[in-house]
Amino acid sequence: MGVDMGLFHGKMGLILFFAHYYKHTGQQIYEDTADELMAELIEEIKRSTLSIGFASGLSGVGWGMEYLMQNGFMDDDSLEVCDAFDEKIMVKDPRRMTDFSLETGLEGVFHYVLTHIKGVMNQHSKPPFDETYLGDLYQTAKIVLKSPNISEAMRLLASKYSAFYENGMSGLDYTLQLSFIVEDTILEKEISNVTPLGLKNGLTGFLLKSIITT
């Protein structure tokens, strides 16, 4: 089994933690660690075929990249950094997706698309993704909004995307935050030498939650 490169349990999550911990402590070693992990992640992604999932795949890694850029941890062009992710994500027709979950399905895709649009359009005049994909995702959002068996989180994201598609940047209302990832993390009494490292229900999630809520 390969190393998890993703946001919830892998290297992308560790990078976010060390970036925040450097900002929190001012200790250079933590920024250096984040930089080293980022270099490893980029090389591993080039050699791997990741799913588009949010927990362990491309939409989560892309979301993490946007988080770093939009919070001043990286000074890069959003369109260039995530271009390869976007091409692979657009191959998957959202209208045919039956998995609506955050971890592996459409909810995670909406999170990435919304934050990536926000990041790119703060730097450029046009959104990422081609018009066909944006239109297909809009059709999917309208279907989601009519479905009676959709979670409130999914319904809210579909509504936010629809507002952007219909009104442009004036309709874009997406807050980039880590709370929905680390809010259900472990408790201090549950930490042991076998506690996983990841953001979601792991040691770095526990530590990061204490940083971002103080």
Side-chain angles (χ1 to χ4, degrees):
M1 181 179 295
V3 176
D4 192 317
M5 292 176 273
L7 178 63
F8 279 17
H9 311 292
K11 285 190 177 180
M12 189 70 248
L14 294 177
I15 291 167
L16 297 190
F17 166 73
F18 281 113
H20 267 286
Y21 210 59
Y22 166 67
K23 183 178 180 180
H24 182 68
T25 65
Q27 297 294 314
Q28 186 63 43
I29 188 173
Y30 299 120
E31 183 179 43
D32 293 343
T33 301
D35 290 343
E36 290 173 10
L37 287 170
M38 179 63 78
E40 291 176 6
L41 177 67
I42 292 171
E43 287 303 311
E44 288 167 355
I45 287 175
K46 290 178 181 178
R47 299 192 300 266
S48 302
T49 302
L50 289 182
S51 71
I52 66 169
F54 197 73
S56 300
L58 292 173
S59 60
V61 173
W63 188 95
M65 295 289 192
E66 281 292 351
Y67 183 91
L68 292 170
M69 289 184 284
Q70 292 182 39
N71 283 283
F73 294 111
M74 289 172 58
D75 183 20
D76 292 271
D77 186 297
S78 175
L79 196 60
E80 293 181 2
V81 168
C82 297
D83 181 61
F85 302 161
D86 298 347
E87 290 183 2
K88 293 179 180 179
I89 287 172
M90 283 191 292
V91 171
K92 185 79 170 181
D93 187 343
R95 298 170 301 174
R96 295 183 179 275
M97 291 182 68
T98 57
D99 180 351
F100 285 2
S101 71
L102 170 64
E103 291 79 3
T104 58
L106 195 59
E107 184 177 332
V109 171
F110 271 119
H111 269 293
Y112 171 60
V113 168
L114 285 165
T115 195
H116 188 38
I117 287 172
K118 183 177 181 180
V120 169
M121 294 194 72
N122 282 336
Q123 299 174 335
H124 301 276
S125 59
K126 293 184 178 181
F129 310 106
D130 60 34
E131 293 182 5
T132 299
Y133 183 79
L134 293 173
D136 289 347
L137 194 59
Y138 176 66
Q139 291 182 37
T140 305
K142 302 305 285 185
I143 293 171
V144 166
L145 291 172
K146 294 177 181 178
S147 176
N149 300 315
I150 298 297
S151 70
E152 285 305 310
M154 180 65 177
R155 193 178 303 280
L156 180 60
L157 289 168
S159 178
K160 287 178 179 291
Y161 180 77
S162 296
F164 158 73
Y165 191 84
E166 293 167 0
N167 302 296
M169 277 296 283
S170 64
L172 183 57
D173 175 25
Y174 181 87
T175 302
L176 185 63
Q177 56 189 5
L178 282 169
S179 59
F180 75 99
I181 298 172
V182 302
E183 62 185 355
D184 296 324
T185 193
I186 57 172
L187 302 175
E188 185 173 5
K189 63 183 180 181
E190 298 171 334
I191 295 174
S192 71
N193 59 359
V194 294
T195 300
L197 288 177
L199 283 187
K200 191 72 170 177
N201 296 319
L203 182 59
T204 52
F206 170 80
L207 295 172
L208 188 53
K209 184 177 180 180
S210 68
I211 295 172
I212 64 178
T213 56
T214 56

